[in-house]
Amino acid sequence: MELLIQNLVSPVVLAFLLGIIARMVRSDLEIPSAIYQGLSIYLLLAIGLKGGVALSQTPPAELVGPVLLTLALGVLTPFSAFILLRKLGKLGRIDAAATAAHYGSVSAVTFVAAIEAVKHSDIPAAGYLPALVAVLEVPGIIVGLLLARQSQSGGIKSALHEVLTGKSIFLMLGGLIIGTVCGAEKVSTIAPFFIDPFKGVLFLFLLELGIVAASRFRDLAQAGWRLVLTGCLLPTLHGTIATTAATYIGMSTGSAAVFGAMVASASYIAAPAAVRIALPKASPGIYLTMALGVTFPFNLAIGIPLFLKLAQLTS
Amino acid sequence: MELLIQNLVSPVVLAFLLGIIARMVRSDLEIPSAIYQGLSIYLLLAIGLKGGVALSQTPPAELVGPVLLTLALGVLTPFSAFILLRKLGKLGRIDAAATAAHYGSVSAVTFVAAIEAVKHSDIPAAGYLPALVAVLEVPGIIVGLLLARQSQSGGIKSALHEVLTGKSIFLMLGGLIIGTVCGAEKVSTIAPFFIDPFKGVLFLFLLELGIVAASRFRDLAQAGWRLVLTGCLLPTLHGTIATTAATYIGMSTGSAAVFGAMVASASYIAAPAAVRIALPKASPGIYLTMALGVTFPFNLAIGIPLFLKLAQLTS
Amino acid sequence: MELLIQNLVSPVVLAFLLGIIARMVRSDLEIPSAIYQGLSIYLLLAIGLKGGVALSQTPPAELVGPVLLTLALGVLTPFSAFILLRKLGKLGRIDAAATAAHYGSVSAVTFVAAIEAVKHSDIPAAGYLPALVAVLEVPGIIVGLLLARQSQSGGIKSALHEVLTGKSIFLMLGGLIIGTVCGAEKVSTIAPFFIDPFKGVLFLFLLELGIVAASRFRDLAQAGWRLVLTGCLLPTLHGTIATTAATYIGMSTGSAAVFGAMVASASYIAAPAAVRIALPKASPGIYLTMALGVTFPFNLAIGIPLFLKLAQLTS
Amino acid sequence: MKLVTIVTEGLLKDQITELLKQQGVRGFTITRADGEGSRGINASHWEGPNLKIETIVTDAVGRRVMDLISEKYFDHYAVVAWLTDVEVLRGEKFSPVPDEDTK
Amino acid sequence: MKLVTIVTEGLLKDQITELLKQQGVRGFTITRADGEGSRGINASHWEGPNLKIETIVTDAVGRRVMDLISEKYFDHYAVVAWLTDVEVLRGEKFSPVPDEDTK
Amino acid sequence: MKLVTIVTEGLLKDQITELLKQQGVRGFTITRADGEGSRGINASHWEGPNLKIETIVTDAVGRRVMDLISEKYFDHYAVVAWLTDVEVLRGEKFSPVPDEDTK
Ligand SMILES: Nc1ncnc2c1ncn2[C@@H]1O[C@H](COP(=O)(O)O)[C@@H](O)[C@H]1O
Ligand SMILES: Nc1ncnc2c1ncn2[C@@H]1O[C@H](COP(=O)(O)O)[C@@H](O)[C@H]1O
Ligand SMILES: Nc1ncnc2c1ncn2[C@@H]1O[C@H](COP(=O)(O)O)[C@@H](O)[C@H]1O
Ligand code: NA
Ligand code: NA
Ligand code: NA
């Protein structure tokens, strides 16, 4: 409980809350879209660069286990999501598949929030984790689209192009490679821009995300309690499995908790774009509301501390 | 005199001057409006956060005096402004009331410039001052609007909503609360973004403000010497009263000077928006020109060093 | 060779490459234009400020030689460029003159990249160099326009106004003067914004520049091998002359190398704007492609390490 | 069908979109704009620049919206509006929301 | 001549400009826009807001573009389009690219 | 009344607004835009994207502005312009500034 409150009373969580309030009181506050896009570019590059530096210091052998586990979960979670969304959520095939693609992929911001929460708790998380984020981002989307079994001709192909060349993956991978190639010393020259102010930029980003998420809330009523419930159960399920498995293959406490949060998260950047292209009939009002309006705040408030506790218990 | 020059030769003042020159030589320099809005959001949040941390370290008892004084001046200054604007400035009732609302409120940037000037002089200013800025922002606007005595039905109400949920107050109060709740340690995680680069961001902001202020100068001729004179007398009067009163209730030399500059300043963010809604017949060409074209540069160049000197003499 | 690779494997060069790749794979990555303009404003101001501080610490006598050399090369290089562009590049008079104006002027980003490369090699470059950038920016453009010998009436005059009040020169000069007037101590208050994160901002800027340069590549085929060759020979020629001359008049190894890169570079900010106004008949497809698509990457990858080596050999 | 174009200072965004919705308008598109006009002044720089609001409506709604905007805003605010004839496909999409229209 | 105005969610930018080029369109202008419509939701905030694509074309091309857009996008995407009569000088500039037109 | 729409590379902003004012135009609205056209190149990335300038004018002024723009800019600059019929309320606001008009 104290851990929970400790987690909630952090600048980034409160920034998210502030954004929600801004929307509720109908404040005219808005982050100009150019700024918002600038912040996203910054965050993705920074995550990549930091991960790249860590990769350059990690022996490849150490990565094999985590990468395989990530791939496995990237393929499995869209199935579990699909089933729950169909049975519990009562969604049609296409909407369920579209939403499953989101739960199979990953939210970079949830990942970062987990990193920060864990850092706060002084339990080291491995530096190579951002590489896993990149690995996890793609397969879930593909499986999700396949589950729909009726994308238009060319739909999957152009969706794949969208995911792989979409800025989300492109920037994170780009940063990852530059970070790996350049190594710690050279990256340190850009650290005062990309590393030190990172959490402050995240603060601003979450302020905007709060505004956007709150604008999804009015769709919640329409979505119904079934979907809200599913949006809370799915991350709990996925996160629990992932955290346990991670501890099992020997990842550190901190790493296992962050890994759990990653797998528990639902993409709201890469997945929506790809799904919109391959499955235009699926309703964004459903998948976006669940990913950003339910699961993201759930993870931020409850999921992350939960997986942290779980990681501490299981390791 | 030396103090004056010392104050003028500072990066932020020179940035303001550079903006004015840009406009005068018809340079095509302009800060894109998205960037300008981004900078404003940053500055207001940062002021709030810094103030919040200070609040969390200030015993409430210490705040009672300053808060009461702030409220008193927030109610009094619109009256003195109204009278001078009517008598000396020869303005009609509505324009005088609209402009009085601006002088009753506060300019956050003037406040920050004063903080920096005082910091430079090594006289400590209390950390809780940003809380007073938030307190000062609202009452003056309301009194000003009431002075017009003929706002359309609903006008005052929607103006109040505009002020209270307007981004200006919303962000500063939001930052203030987050800073108070999180305290120094947690806020330190976002300090490399919100605290360290603050003055540099202010530099850019003042560059833009210089451009905007200079575009008001051509309205000065039209406004006439009476209004220019009033725009210099009002801050002198208000600042002198405020500085003296602040010293009297025991605020430190630095705090009293900054407090003087706050009260002397005229709002050009929150007030114009509210006045535009409640008093559409008032001319923005008058109130904006006075607040931004006369009083802001006056305070930056002359007011701040004056109140600092005064605070030193009276304490 | 090792120096070359060492130079290429740096964050900023790789950022440029990442931008090129983004374009090639048709990624939807783009830096919003407001952000791009914000980055430019930042970089130009920062270069100016840093230079100004250095100027305030440099005895004027030390500047006479470098300034005269800069002026001489600013007048000479458009001629050599014009001749090569006519003879080897087979361009018409107007296109040749327009392009010569670009080669006579200077690219601030090339300059900064050279500074960083030299810093990496631990050979000190003089702090006053940014002042030379400002000096070099104008004369080449004027000479280039005169070479066209048929600008419309008023064309040169309004082009001159464009150059002198254009944001590029205006910001750099403005920063230079503020830096000189304020000196190191006062500028240090804005250093956490303008100095420390500088290279990181440059990283983002080069990412965008890579995207833009790559979009020029498809014009390369059309431009033909003659122009590509000329676009490589010109910087080699100009840079070699400049580096040698700089060593000759006693500039340090690092300064001579950076100076060489400056003179070798072709403007793609100030010059295009001025040329567009004074010589509307000249084809942007030619001069922009050469400056940004050929010469900039050439200098980044090959020119800078070359001039550095040359400076080491000749001093 | 008519295209109504309204250029307004940013501050009035909520008021004007509210007015549109009350007239049964089903959708609109907003672009940021700068401008110069008789007033020669942008009342609140901080509120952002002007906005251009465009909406496709039936002729009747178009005229009503023009009248209302002119009446409420032309005198004291930086607002300008004009009406253009346009052609659309599947026009039902732009007919006024029924229950609002009959008000 | 006709002005075709297409308001679309940002994601479709490449698809729609591709479609225009295939119809022989020689140029177009794109503005960023926000909007509200029947769907009431912007499918991908991250992709940026809506886009407004404007292109001056001959009457024939205009009608063809309208038909194609309506057919391909109206059902499942946040896309709206309209056609306006306009007058231009030197109209040749806006005639369809020949080899494309005859396809 | 006519709506003149001018799409131009950003560099010409001052020149074109100057030209409009000389023709007695009382106001205009400017939006940032991107575009593709025959030139296929944006001459100066740094100057920002294209601009779309819209102004409501009387028929006579509209034609004169179109002619001048076409004459001065069509050959060498990335400029495109078109004229649309529009309806306004309180048209006096858009009549040319008198002393300019009689020039
Ligand atoms: N004749 C016009 N044509 C197009 N837009 C105009 C015109 N006059 C004014 N505007 C726009 O309407 C806004 C307010 O105009 P005004 O109320 O005349 O100051 C200006 O900032 C312009 O964006
Ligand atoms: N009646 C309308 N007039 C102008 N723009 C509209 C209209 N309806 C919809 N739009 C625009 O088209 C987008 C998609 O609309 P919809 O498909 O109805 O959600 C909206 O975001 C608006 O930008
Ligand atoms: N047919 C067209 N319809 C709409 N806008 C156009 C058209 N052709 C060109 N443009 C715009 O005008 C600019 C210059 O065109 P151009 O001079 O043909 O390169 C382009 O960047 C577009 O923004
Ligand atoms: Na997931
Ligand atoms: Na005040
Ligand atoms: Na050069």
Side-chain angles (χ1 to χ4, degrees):
Chain A
M1 193 58 207
E2 210 207 292
L3 185 69
L4 197 76
I5 285 169
Q6 184 67 354
N7 176 63
L8 286 177
V9 179
S10 85
V12 292
V13 173
L14 292 177
F16 185 73
L17 202 69
L18 190 64
I20 291 177
I21 294 171
R23 183 82 191 192
M24 302 250 150
V25 302
R26 310 200 68 211
S27 164
D28 62 349
L29 171 64
E30 59 172 22
I31 314 284
S33 80
I35 299 289
Y36 174 70
Q37 286 180 36
L39 297 177
S40 319
I41 291 170
Y42 172 93
L43 290 174
L44 291 164
L45 271 177
I47 296 172
L49 284 167
K50 232 193 288 189
V53 170
L55 268 193
S56 76
Q57 299 165 334
T58 312
E62 212 177 287
L63 290 171
V64 177
V67 165
L68 289 180
L69 180 59
T70 306
L71 281 174
L73 289 169
V75 172
L76 277 175
T77 50
F79 280 100
S80 47
F82 185 71
I83 294 167
L84 245 86
L85 288 160
R86 292 282 278 164
K87 296 278 137 94
L88 177 57
K90 300 284 184 206
L91 288 183
R93 164 173 291 275
I94 295 191
D95 280 328
T99 312
H102 291 69
Y103 283 90
S105 186
V106 56
S107 141
V109 179
T110 309
F111 165 74
V112 168
I115 289 275
E116 296 297 338
V118 163
K119 194 185 292 171
H120 196 83
S121 318
D122 290 322
I123 313 168
Y128 61 71
L129 287 167
L132 300 187
V133 174
V135 169
L136 185 54
E137 208 153 4
V138 182
I141 298 179
I142 299 170
V143 174
L145 296 183
L146 290 174
L147 282 168
R149 260 197 240 158
Q150 55 120 267
S151 137
Q152 299 143 318
S153 74
I156 291 245
K157 228 186 92 205
S158 62
L160 241 182
H161 182 264
E162 179 72 32
V163 181
L164 291 177
T165 67
K167 32 195 164 183
S168 171
I169 297 244
F170 187 86
L171 285 169
M172 206 188 292
L173 266 186
L176 209 60
I177 292 170
I178 293 183
T180 313
V181 171
C182 287
E185 198 200 317
K186 280 177 174 172
V187 168
S188 75
T189 58
I190 52 176
F193 182 70
F194 278 112
I195 311 296
D196 305 344
F198 183 84
K199 207 169 170 181
V201 175
L202 188 64
F203 183 98
L204 266 191
F205 190 82
L206 278 173
L207 179 63
E208 167 70 7
L209 220 52
I211 299 175
V212 179
S215 71
R216 300 255 60 80
F217 287 167
R218 60 171 177 180
D219 293 322
L220 279 189
Q222 221 175 316
W225 65 267
R226 288 183 163 279
L227 287 183
V228 176
L229 185 64
T230 317
C232 297
L233 281 184
L234 274 176
T236 313
L237 176 69
H238 291 168
T240 306
I241 296 175
T243 307
T244 318
T247 322
Y248 185 77
I249 69 160
M251 285 165 72
S252 75
T253 313
S255 301
V258 172
F259 187 74
M262 267 167 64
V263 175
S265 72
S267 164
Y268 40 84
I269 293 182
V275 164
R276 194 84 190 103
I277 287 204
L279 301 174
K281 288 182 196 167
S283 159
I286 292 173
Y287 53 73
L288 270 184
T289 303
M290 290 196 64
L292 193 54
V294 182
T295 299
F296 176 66
F298 176 85
N299 278 328
L300 203 60
I302 300 173
I304 293 175
L306 190 74
F307 307 137
L308 185 52
K309 193 82 211 158
L310 183 66
Q312 288 167 337
L313 293 177
T314 54
S315 62
Chain B
M1 193 60 206
E2 211 207 292
L3 185 70
L4 196 77
I5 287 170
Q6 185 66 354
N7 176 62
L8 286 176
V9 179
S10 86
V12 292
V13 173
L14 292 178
F16 184 72
L17 202 69
L18 190 65
I20 292 178
I21 294 171
R23 184 80 190 193
M24 302 248 150
V25 302
R26 310 200 68 210
S27 166
D28 62 348
L29 171 64
E30 58 172 24
I31 313 285
S33 78
I35 299 290
Y36 174 71
Q37 286 179 36
L39 297 178
S40 319
I41 291 170
Y42 172 93
L43 289 175
L44 290 164
L45 271 177
I47 295 173
L49 285 167
K50 231 192 290 189
V53 170
L55 268 193
S56 75
Q57 299 165 333
T58 312
E62 214 177 285
L63 290 171
V64 177
V67 165
L68 289 181
L69 180 59
T70 305
L71 282 174
L73 289 169
V75 172
L76 277 175
T77 50
F79 280 100
S80 46
F82 185 70
I83 294 167
L84 244 86
L85 288 160
R86 291 282 278 165
K87 297 278 138 95
L88 176 58
K90 300 283 182 206
L91 288 182
R93 164 173 290 275
I94 294 190
D95 279 328
T99 311
H102 290 69
Y103 282 90
S105 185
V106 56
S107 141
V109 179
T110 308
F111 165 73
V112 169
I115 288 275
E116 295 298 339
V118 162
K119 195 186 291 172
H120 196 83
S121 316
D122 291 321
I123 313 168
Y128 61 71
L129 286 167
L132 300 188
V133 174
V135 169
L136 185 55
E137 208 154 2
V138 183
I141 298 180
I142 299 170
V143 174
L145 296 183
L146 291 175
L147 282 169
R149 259 196 239 159
Q150 55 120 267
S151 138
Q152 299 142 319
S153 73
I156 291 245
K157 227 186 92 207
S158 63
L160 240 182
H161 182 264
E162 178 72 32
V163 181
L164 291 178
T165 67
K167 32 194 165 185
S168 171
I169 297 245
F170 187 86
L171 285 169
M172 205 188 290
L173 266 185
L176 209 61
I177 293 169
I178 294 182
T180 313
V181 172
C182 287
E185 198 200 315
K186 280 178 174 173
V187 169
S188 75
T189 58
I190 53 176
F193 182 70
F194 278 112
I195 312 295
D196 306 344
F198 183 83
K199 206 169 171 183
V201 175
L202 187 64
F203 183 97
L204 265 192
F205 190 82
L206 278 174
L207 180 63
E208 168 69 6
L209 220 51
I211 298 175
V212 179
S215 71
R216 299 256 60 79
F217 287 168
R218 61 172 177 180
D219 292 323
L220 279 189
Q222 223 175 314
W225 64 268
R226 288 184 164 279
L227 288 183
V228 176
L229 185 64
T230 317
C232 297
L233 281 184
L234 274 176
T236 313
L237 177 69
H238 292 168
T240 304
I241 296 173
T243 308
T244 317
T247 320
Y248 186 77
I249 69 161
M251 285 166 71
S252 75
T253 313
S255 301
V258 171
F259 186 75
M262 270 168 64
V263 175
S265 72
S267 164
Y268 40 84
I269 293 181
V275 163
R276 192 86 190 103
I277 288 204
L279 300 174
K281 287 182 196 165
S283 160
I286 291 173
Y287 53 73
L288 270 184
T289 303
M290 289 195 66
L292 193 53
V294 182
T295 299
F296 176 66
F298 175 85
N299 278 329
L300 204 60
I302 299 174
I304 295 174
L306 190 75
F307 308 137
L308 185 51
K309 194 81 211 161
L310 184 66
Q312 288 167 337
L313 292 176
T314 53
S315 63
Chain C
M1 193 59 208
E2 212 207 291
L3 185 68
L4 197 77
I5 287 169
Q6 184 67 355
N7 177 64
L8 286 177
V9 180
S10 86
V12 291
V13 174
L14 293 177
F16 185 72
L17 203 68
L18 190 64
I20 291 177
I21 294 170
R23 183 81 191 194
M24 303 247 150
V25 302
R26 309 200 69 210
S27 164
D28 62 348
L29 172 63
E30 58 172 22
I31 314 284
S33 79
I35 298 290
Y36 174 72
Q37 286 180 36
L39 296 178
S40 319
I41 290 169
Y42 172 94
L43 289 175
L44 290 164
L45 270 178
I47 295 172
L49 284 167
K50 231 193 290 189
V53 170
L55 267 194
S56 76
Q57 299 164 334
T58 312
E62 214 177 285
L63 289 172
V64 177
V67 165
L68 289 180
L69 181 59
T70 306
L71 282 173
L73 288 169
V75 172
L76 278 175
T77 49
F79 280 101
S80 47
F82 185 69
I83 294 168
L84 244 87
L85 288 160
R86 292 281 279 165
K87 296 279 138 94
L88 177 58
K90 300 285 182 204
L91 287 182
R93 163 173 291 276
I94 294 190
D95 279 328
T99 312
H102 291 69
Y103 282 90
S105 185
V106 56
S107 140
V109 180
T110 308
F111 165 74
V112 169
I115 289 275
E116 295 297 339
V118 162
K119 195 186 289 172
H120 196 82
S121 317
D122 289 324
I123 314 168
Y128 61 70
L129 286 166
L132 300 188
V133 174
V135 169
L136 186 55
E137 208 154 3
V138 183
I141 298 180
I142 299 170
V143 174
L145 296 183
L146 291 175
L147 281 168
R149 260 197 238 158
Q150 54 120 266
S151 135
Q152 299 142 317
S153 73
I156 291 244
K157 227 185 92 205
S158 62
L160 240 181
H161 182 265
E162 178 72 32
V163 181
L164 291 177
T165 67
K167 33 195 163 184
S168 170
I169 297 245
F170 187 85
L171 285 169
M172 205 188 292
L173 266 185
L176 209 61
I177 293 170
I178 294 182
T180 312
V181 171
C182 288
E185 198 200 315
K186 281 178 174 173
V187 169
S188 74
T189 58
I190 53 177
F193 181 70
F194 279 112
I195 312 295
D196 306 344
F198 183 83
K199 207 168 170 181
V201 175
L202 188 64
F203 183 97
L204 265 192
F205 190 83
L206 278 174
L207 180 64
E208 166 70 6
L209 220 52
I211 299 175
V212 179
S215 72
R216 300 255 58 79
F217 287 168
R218 61 172 175 179
D219 293 322
L220 279 190
Q222 222 176 315
W225 64 268
R226 287 184 165 279
L227 287 184
V228 176
L229 185 64
T230 316
C232 297
L233 281 185
L234 274 176
T236 313
L237 176 69
H238 291 167
T240 305
I241 295 174
T243 307
T244 318
T247 321
Y248 186 77
I249 68 161
M251 284 165 72
S252 75
T253 313
S255 302
V258 172
F259 186 74
M262 269 167 63
V263 175
S265 73
S267 164
Y268 40 84
I269 293 181
V275 163
R276 193 85 189 103
I277 287 205
L279 301 175
K281 288 182 195 166
S283 160
I286 290 173
Y287 53 72
L288 270 183
T289 303
M290 290 195 65
L292 193 54
V294 182
T295 298
F296 176 66
F298 175 85
N299 278 329
L300 204 61
I302 299 175
I304 293 174
L306 190 75
F307 307 137
L308 185 51
K309 194 81 210 161
L310 184 66
Q312 288 166 337
L313 292 177
T314 53
S315 62
Chain D
M1 290 280 147
K2 298 282 183 192
L3 166 67
V4 179
T5 305
I6 305 163
V7 177
T8 169
E9 49 188 302
L11 206 58
L12 299 178
K13 181 181 172 188
D14 285 350
Q15 288 192 24
I16 289 186
T17 55
E18 204 45 58
L19 181 153
L20 292 179
K21 284 176 191 165
Q22 272 165 16
Q23 294 310 312
V25 163
R26 284 179 178 256
F28 48 81
T29 298
I30 302 187
T31 348
R32 288 168 163 251
D34 287 297
E36 273 183 43
S38 54
R39 254 160 280 256
I41 180 172
N42 197 319
S44 66
H45 184 63
W46 160 267
E47 292 300 313
N50 287 348
L51 297 176
K52 194 171 94 179
I53 305 177
E54 290 170 298
T55 178
I56 303 284
V57 291
T58 56
D59 293 23
V61 172
R63 280 182 206 290
R64 217 158 52 217
V65 166
M66 286 292 285
D67 286 342
L68 285 170
I69 294 282
S70 148
E71 209 173 276
K72 287 184 75 167
Y73 297 109
F74 275 16
D75 288 334
H76 297 302
Y77 292 99
V79 172
V80 156
W82 62 87
L83 212 57
T84 318
D85 276 313
V86 296
E87 221 176 290
V88 299
L89 297 181
R90 312 202 193 171
E92 8 18 295
K93 176 155 189 180
F94 306 101
S95 300
V97 181
D99 55 350
E100 302 275 358
D101 196 26
T102 55
K103 270 205 272 202
Chain E
M1 290 279 147
K2 296 282 182 191
L3 166 67
V4 179
T5 305
I6 305 163
V7 177
T8 170
E9 49 187 304
L11 207 58
L12 298 179
K13 180 183 173 188
D14 286 348
Q15 287 191 26
I16 289 185
T17 56
E18 204 46 58
L19 181 153
L20 292 179
K21 284 174 192 166
Q22 273 164 17
Q23 295 310 311
V25 163
R26 285 178 177 254
F28 47 82
T29 298
I30 302 186
T31 348
R32 286 166 166 253
D34 287 297
E36 271 183 45
S38 54
R39 253 160 281 256
I41 179 173
N42 196 319
S44 66
H45 184 62
W46 160 267
E47 292 300 315
N50 287 349
L51 297 177
K52 194 170 95 180
I53 305 178
E54 290 170 299
T55 178
I56 302 285
V57 291
T58 56
D59 293 24
V61 172
R63 279 182 205 290
R64 217 158 51 216
V65 166
M66 287 291 286
D67 285 342
L68 286 170
I69 295 280
S70 148
E71 210 172 275
K72 289 184 74 166
Y73 298 108
F74 275 16
D75 288 334
H76 297 301
Y77 292 99
V79 173
V80 156
W82 62 86
L83 212 57
T84 320
D85 277 313
V86 296
E87 218 176 295
V88 299
L89 297 182
R90 310 201 194 171
E92 17 8 302
K93 175 156 190 180
F94 306 101
S95 300
V97 182
D99 55 351
E100 301 274 0
D101 196 27
T102 56
K103 273 206 272 201
Chain F
M1 289 280 148
K2 298 282 181 191
L3 166 66
V4 179
T5 305
I6 305 164
V7 177
T8 169
E9 48 188 305
L11 206 58
L12 299 178
K13 180 182 173 190
D14 286 348
Q15 288 191 26
I16 290 185
T17 55
E18 204 46 58
L19 181 152
L20 292 179
K21 284 175 192 166
Q22 273 165 16
Q23 295 310 313
V25 162
R26 284 177 179 255
F28 48 82
T29 297
I30 302 187
T31 348
R32 288 168 163 252
D34 286 297
E36 272 184 43
S38 53
R39 255 161 280 256
I41 178 173
N42 196 319
S44 66
H45 185 62
W46 161 268
E47 292 301 314
N50 287 348
L51 298 176
K52 193 169 95 178
I53 305 176
E54 291 172 298
T55 178
I56 303 284
V57 290
T58 57
D59 293 25
V61 172
R63 279 181 206 291
R64 217 158 53 215
V65 165
M66 287 292 284
D67 286 342
L68 285 171
I69 295 280
S70 148
E71 209 172 277
K72 288 183 75 166
Y73 299 108
F74 275 16
D75 288 334
H76 297 301
Y77 292 99
V79 172
V80 156
W82 61 86
L83 211 60
T84 319
D85 276 314
V86 297
E87 220 177 293
V88 299
L89 297 181
R90 310 202 194 170
E92 20 1 307
K93 176 157 188 180
F94 306 101
S95 301
V97 181
D99 55 350
E100 302 274 359
D101 195 26
T102 56
K103 273 207 272 201

